[in-house]
Amino acid sequence: MILTLTLNPAIDMNYQLDHLNIDQVNRCGHVIKTAGGKGLNVTRVLKCAEADVLATGFLGGKTGEFITEELDHAGIKHHFVSISGNTRHCLALMHEGNQTEILEDGPSISEEEADAFLKEYDRLLEQATVVTASGSLPKGLKKSFYQQLIEHAGRKNRKFLLDTSGESLKEGIKGAPYLIKLNQDELVALIGKEVNTEAEILASVKQLAETGVKFIVVSLGKKGAMGFFDGHAFIVEPPIVKAVSAVGSGDSMIAGLAYGIDKGLTPEEALTYGATFGTLNAMEARTGYIDQTQIESFKKKITVRAVD
């Protein structure tokens, strides 16, 4: 079973606008409301792929109830810890080919709520083979909370995939997760210097590998992704497609990676699934959704090449 962590979930509201008129009234006839947060995007994609997946994290208030109802309606298994605060909203404005986001901070987690989650997490780890953790940490949790979760998983020999940024990523790496996924901007922030060329990215990834992370994935957007595992680097490149919305494609890549790793595939094969899931998501209007019937045929269109 794949266990997905969404510690700061949200109701994602996607507004499709022809134009965004600043300082004026904007009317929208096309609104999509989704049980969101990066980890729940991962969960939905895995559900689309018919993987055995269960979601956990923190939920509270009426917004939390909405997310629970949405997950139940979708047939997604979940065990969230209840909190006194209200789960947040996040707004994405799609306009003129652009995407403008407004993200609420979300609730503050108490020490008692954090302890309750750790107990639930340890129980769920008994059933899990792979764990994914995506997105920001809510207020109230220590920046080292991901590190703590990674260490708990490590003691049970569970593979932990981490997709976060900033201090949460820096602290999380100290726990030696099995895999981290980051984009070029996050890589620059982490190592403290610019990386532009393939060779510079590879040199930076090799530096990160010295921290004990087994599998490092750097998303390259439309160009695919670089993977580094056990001293070997490779790049997966998807075909050019007509993208509808790139929202959730990074989360879908994590879903594909988890899917491949859970099946015991090689790193190259797992990253091929990551690129497949990420690209299929970009071809859909819905966030965190792929067409399961296209997975195997589309995967054959992904190219993999070794990097010196």
Side-chain angles (χ1 to χ4, degrees):
M1 181 190 79
I2 301 171
L3 178 65
T4 65
L5 310 185
T6 314
L7 302 185
N8 202 11
I11 296 178
D12 282 344
M13 300 183 294
N14 189 307
Y15 282 52
Q16 305 280 330
L17 302 170
D18 292 330
H19 302 282
L20 177 62
N21 300 307
I22 303 299
D23 202 26
Q24 297 181 38
V25 173
N26 291 268
R27 300 190 184 279
C28 181
H30 187 190
V31 180
I32 302 172
K33 295 184 180 181
T34 314
K38 292 173 67 63
L40 286 181
N41 292 339
V42 175
T43 309
R44 269 195 309 278
V45 171
L46 286 167
K47 177 67 175 177
C48 289
E50 300 182 346
D52 183 13
V53 60
L54 184 144
T56 189
F58 299 102
L59 286 177
K62 293 297 182 183
T63 42
E65 291 177 12
F66 172 87
I67 289 176
T68 297
E69 291 169 1
E70 288 290 298
L71 296 178
D72 287 341
H73 181 71
I76 292 173
K77 295 186 294 183
H78 58 88
H79 290 289
F80 280 82
V81 171
S82 296
I83 57 173
S84 60
N86 291 307
T87 297
R88 61 186 180 146
H89 294 83
C90 290
L91 176 63
L93 304 175
M94 314 302 293
H95 56 99
E96 297 115 356
N98 299 310
Q99 177 182 321
T100 301
E101 297 187 20
I102 302 172
L103 310 179
E104 293 182 10
D105 285 341
S108 182
I109 307 301
S110 70
E111 186 175 342
E112 292 76 18
E113 291 165 343
D115 289 341
F117 176 80
L118 283 172
K119 290 179 182 178
E120 177 71 1
Y121 174 65
D122 282 335
R123 184 183 71 81
L124 294 173
L125 278 177
E126 297 296 331
Q127 309 167 44
T129 51
V130 175
V131 182
T132 72
S134 307
S136 62
L137 289 172
K139 292 181 294 184
L141 295 182
K142 296 178 180 178
K143 295 297 183 184
S144 60
F145 196 71
Y146 275 142
Q147 178 186 353
Q148 189 175 3
L149 297 181
I150 293 163
E151 291 170 349
H152 279 230
R155 287 194 287 269
K156 296 181 184 294
N157 295 315
R158 306 304 190 242
K159 292 178 177 177
F160 197 107
L161 283 57
L162 181 63
D163 181 15
T164 186
S165 59
E167 289 299 317
S168 297
L169 177 58
K170 289 180 181 179
E171 293 296 320
I173 286 174
K174 295 177 182 178
Y178 178 77
L179 179 149
I180 59 171
K181 185 191 79 68
L182 56 168
N183 58 33
Q184 283 183 250
D185 289 339
E186 291 164 346
L187 179 61
V188 168
L190 190 60
I191 65 171
K193 62 181 180 181
E194 287 293 324
V195 291
N196 296 300
T197 67
E198 193 173 280
E200 289 172 341
I201 294 172
L202 178 56
S204 300
V205 166
K206 286 181 177 179
Q207 179 183 332
L208 280 180
E210 296 175 0
T211 64
V213 180
K214 190 78 172 177
F215 192 176
I216 299 171
V217 176
V218 180
S219 172
L220 305 175
K222 295 178 182 179
K223 297 180 181 178
M226 177 184 288
F228 186 82
F229 183 90
D230 197 24
H232 300 285
F234 46 92
I235 285 183
V236 293
E237 298 172 318
I240 297 174
V241 300
K242 184 177 180 180
V244 177
S245 172
V247 182
S249 288
D251 307 326
S252 300
M253 175 173 279
I254 279 286
L257 288 162
Y259 182 85
I261 291 167
D262 186 53
K263 288 183 175 294
L265 303 179
T266 65
E268 291 94 332
E269 291 171 325
L271 191 50
T272 299
Y273 272 108
T276 297
F277 285 21
T279 309
L280 288 178
N281 175 83
M283 295 164 63
E284 302 287 341
R286 286 177 282 182
T287 300
Y289 178 83
I290 62 173
D291 183 349
Q292 190 268 343
T293 64
Q294 295 190 51
I295 293 174
E296 292 306 318
S297 60
F298 194 89
K299 185 168 71 73
K300 296 175 183 177
K301 301 176 183 178
I302 305 291
T303 60
V304 182
R305 59 180 174 87
V307 180
D308 294 332

